[in-house]
Amino acid sequence: MGSSGINAEYMGYSPEGKRVAAAVGQHIITLDPNIESDVVEFTTVGVNEAPVSSFAWSRDGGMVFSGDQRGGLRIWDVSNSSLVADLAVHYSQIEAITTHPHGNDLVSAANDAYANVSIYNISAESAVAKMKTKAAVWDIATANDGTAIVCGEQTGVRMYDYRTVRFARGVDHSKSIKRIAVKGNWVYAGGLDGAIRAWDLRTSQWAPQSYQVHNEGITALALSDDGRVLTGALDNKVLCTSVPVADMLRPPAPPAPAAKGDWKTLLSPHAVPPAAPDMDTDVLT
């Protein structure tokens, strides 16, 4: 698919996979990703008052939610490109938006002074709850069963009970977790060190191994149904990487033993380099 003057900062497939929504400056647009053309035909769904900083599709694909750099949160009807609601739930840049898997709740995250996460019920047209996280939050997701909110925070990954909006459990990490995605019992986390890690929701433990897929911090992360991870980073690369959880759970291989009688190997601990992770990585251009 070609492009003509479109610099999309955020993109996402609709739930049925037939449409793409993108944020272009202050605009939310939709387009058909299956049309091969040098000029992309798109429909403008709505225009925010400030540049878009996050967006998400509704579960049924009928609406798009957009958050902007001034804390504006809007609901757009995709069928007729109309504004459904303009919500005043944050007053700083909205970092992430997600929806509850079994209801009409819209969950948004911004680093406001008193509440980082807001839960808004679309049907009732009212805020349900607000929550303060342990640290600055950069991304959010909901557990597949809808019982918890998972946050990628400045100091790790943490889970909060959805009903009580109280901290449940979490794990610290020295690198900021910028993007997360939930699949089954696992949270995939991309950090500022360019590595992907997996966190077990059941045990609150990191998988023994991580995968270094970028030289700089990860800024976007998405999961495919077949277990591949799509990532974008500050090194200006977009990668599609196979990182199955089974490999991440395998303990790191011990260093290769020194060859008997090889005095150079025996004296140099760095003579035998560690084996690189077995990854199937495609660079998307």
Side-chain angles (χ1 to χ4, degrees), residues 142-145 147 150 157 159 169 181-188 198-207 223 245 249:
T142 52
N144 292 337
D145 60 3
T147 61
V150 184
V157 177
M159 187 167 66
R169 55 185 180 273
V182 177
K183 190 174 182 65
N185 292 313
W186 291 94
V187 178
Y188 286 85
W199 183 55
D200 193 333
L201 286 170
R202 299 160 297 184
T203 65
S204 299
Q205 298 293 321
W206 289 113
L223 297 177
V245 171
L249 287 174

Side-chain angles (χ1 to χ4, degrees), residues 106-207:
L106 180 62
V107 186
S108 57
N111 290 306
D112 298 337
Y114 300 104
N116 301 77
V117 176
S118 173
I119 303 175
Y120 182 91
N121 187 271
I122 300 172
S123 299
E125 299 182 354
S126 64
V128 176
K130 289 184 177 291
M131 180 182 77
K132 182 68 176 176
T133 56
K134 293 282 186 178
V137 58
W138 306 123
D139 202 6
I140 54 173
T142 52
N144 292 337
D145 60 3
T147 61
I149 299 172
V150 184
C151 295
E153 301 181 11
Q154 188 173 11
T155 55
V157 177
R158 295 183 177 89
M159 187 167 66
Y160 300 82
D161 185 276
Y162 196 93
R163 184 178 58 84
T164 64
V165 293
R166 292 183 177 179
F167 173 72
R169 55 185 180 273
V171 61
D172 290 338
H173 197 269
S174 60
K175 299 293 183 181
S176 258
I177 302 299
K178 294 293 288 186
R179 291 291 175 255
I180 60 172
V182 177
K183 190 174 182 65
N185 292 313
W186 291 94
V187 178
Y188 286 85
L192 283 180
D193 58 352
I196 296 175
R197 295 170 177 80
W199 183 55
D200 193 333
L201 286 170
R202 299 160 297 184
T203 65
S204 299
Q205 298 293 321
W206 289 113

Side-chain angles (χ1 to χ4, degrees), residues 186 198 200 206-211 242-254 275-279:
W186 291 94
D200 193 333
W206 289 113
Q209 295 201 67
S210 63
Y211 282 100
S242 292
V243 283
V245 171
D247 288 348
M248 300 183 82
L249 287 174
R250 190 177 299 121
D278 184 16
M279 291 193 300

Side-chain angles (χ1 to χ4, degrees), residues 187-267:
V187 178
Y188 286 85
L192 283 180
D193 58 352
I196 296 175
R197 295 170 177 80
W199 183 55
D200 193 333
L201 286 170
R202 299 160 297 184
T203 65
S204 299
Q205 298 293 321
W206 289 113
Q209 295 201 67
S210 63
Y211 282 100
Q212 192 72 39
V213 293
H214 290 279
N215 295 323
E216 297 188 41
I218 293 174
T219 57
L221 186 151
L223 297 177
S224 67
D225 291 337
D226 61 359
R228 293 171 71 84
V229 182
L230 185 68
T231 56
L234 295 173
D235 56 11
N236 296 321
K237 292 181 180 179
V238 176
L239 304 178
C240 192
T241 309
S242 292
V243 283
V245 171
D247 288 348
M248 300 183 82
L249 287 174
R250 190 177 299 121
K260 185 176 293 186
D262 186 347
W263 63 272
K264 291 182 179 180
T265 301
L266 292 172
L267 292 177

